């Protein structure tokens, strides 16, 4: 890009466009009106820079000279964890009733902690699902998905005629930055272990 060629335009939707001439700028202004805040814009092979229409000041973003916070390229968030063995709950588990997972399969962004708690990095809509398996237990277990210490959804497993049974559920949640999501054993116990149980989540889109 030379100093005399391109100019910069900013659309009402928060898109920063860098056309090569005034004719391209006029076409872009008309085209951007039909785009949403997250769709990439391609015009005649030109490269356009897409910025966040809801700028934030968290560490994932960086402010431009125009006062617009550019969304980081590594804004994807996802995790998936599994219980790889049948170790029974530890003393710590029995006190907190948090269901722990010892093997993390996916942790993009590193927001799933060693304590099996997901810490939200930004405001947005997130998807969660879990499958907690009870082994050789005649009693019913109840598993809650917790948001900041309060139950959001529950799942139950209580069939006495099967060796293994899963309490399973899923949900979409609106989260603010630093909200905490985890699984809690509300009723029953996991004596015998909970091998092959899983807990997964990901960011659907930021707000």
């Amino acid at each position: 890009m030379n100093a005399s060629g391109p100019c910069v335009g900013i659309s009402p939707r928060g898109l920063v466009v860098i056309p090569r001439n005034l004719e391209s700028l006029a076409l872009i202004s008309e085209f951007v009106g039909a785009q949403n805040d997250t769709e990439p814009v391609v015009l005649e092979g030109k490269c356009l820079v897409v910025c966040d229409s809801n700028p934030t000041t968290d560490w994932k973003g960086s402010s431009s000279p125009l006062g617009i916070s550019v969304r980081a390229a590594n804004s994807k968030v996802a995790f998936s964890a599994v219980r790889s063995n049948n170790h029974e709950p530890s003393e710590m588990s029995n006190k907190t009733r948090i269901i722990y997972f010892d093997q993390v399969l996916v942790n993009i962004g590193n927001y799933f902690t060693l304590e099996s708690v997901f810490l939200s990095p930004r405001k947005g809509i997130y998807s969660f699902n879990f499958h907690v398996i009870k082994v050789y237990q005649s009693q019913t277990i109840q598993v809650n998905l917790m948001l900041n210490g309060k139950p959001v959804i529950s799942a139950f497993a209580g069939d006495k005629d099967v060796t293994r049974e899963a309490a399973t559920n899923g949900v979409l949640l609106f989260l603010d930055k630093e909200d905490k999501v985890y699984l809690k054993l509300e009723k029953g116990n996991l004596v015998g272990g909970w091998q092959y149980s899983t807990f997964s989540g990901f960011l659907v889109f930021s707000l």
Side-chain angles (χ1 to χ4, degrees):
M1 180 173 73
N2 57 52
S4 60
C7 59
V8 177
I10 304 175
S11 82
R13 292 181 175 272
L15 296 174
V16 177
V17 296
I18 309 175
R20 295 187 179 276
N21 51 54
L22 292 178
E23 180 181 359
S24 295
L25 177 60
L27 289 172
I28 290 170
S29 299
E30 179 179 354
F31 180 76
V32 164
Q35 300 296 305
N36 64 35
D37 293 335
T38 57
E39 291 177 341
V41 180
V42 178
L43 180 64
E44 298 178 352
K46 306 298 189 301
C47 177
L48 307 182
V49 179
V50 181
C51 296
D52 195 344
S53 61
N54 296 300
T56 62
T57 57
D58 65 16
W59 65 276
K60 284 291 184 180
S62 59
S63 297
S64 73
L66 298 171
I68 298 174
S69 178
V70 180
R71 184 175 301 161
N74 59 342
S75 61
K76 295 180 180 180
V77 179
F79 75 91
S80 185
V82 64
R83 188 69 190 183
S84 66
N85 58 58
N86 262 336
H87 288 172
E88 296 180 5
S90 65
E91 182 179 351
M92 185 177 185
S93 298
N94 289 328
K95 289 179 179 179
T96 65
R97 307 287 283 178
I98 293 176
I99 299 175
Y100 290 91
F101 297 85
D102 64 328
Q103 183 177 354
V104 178
L105 304 177
V106 173
N107 196 9
I108 298 175
N110 293 318
Y111 299 112
F112 189 71
T113 71
L114 294 175
E115 292 77 27
S116 296
V117 176
F118 174 75
L119 184 63
S120 170
R122 63 181 62 87
K123 182 188 294 185
I125 301 298
Y126 293 78
S127 175
F128 297 95
N129 65 79
F130 62 87
H131 306 268
V132 177
I133 299 174
K134 73 181 185 74
V135 183
Y136 302 115
Q137 285 296 307
S138 60
Q139 62 178 315
T140 299
I141 64 168
Q142 177 184 345
V143 177
N144 290 344
L145 186 137
M146 310 292 289
L147 171 58
N148 297 329
K150 297 181 179 179
V152 179
I153 57 173
S154 294
F156 300 84
D159 192 334
K160 299 178 181 180
D161 298 325
V162 296
T163 301
R164 295 178 181 268
E165 185 183 9
T168 180
N169 210 338
V171 69
L172 288 176
L173 290 180
F174 168 83
L175 299 183
D176 282 315
K177 184 179 179 181
E178 298 184 353
D179 279 349
K180 296 180 179 180
V181 178
Y182 56 92
L183 298 181
K184 179 182 178 182
L185 184 63
E186 188 66 29
K187 180 181 179 182
N189 65 65
L190 293 173
V191 173
W194 59 106
Q195 188 177 14
Y196 308 125
S197 298
T198 62
F199 181 29
S200 304
F202 60 91
L203 172 65
V204 180
F205 54 83
S206 300
L207 295 173

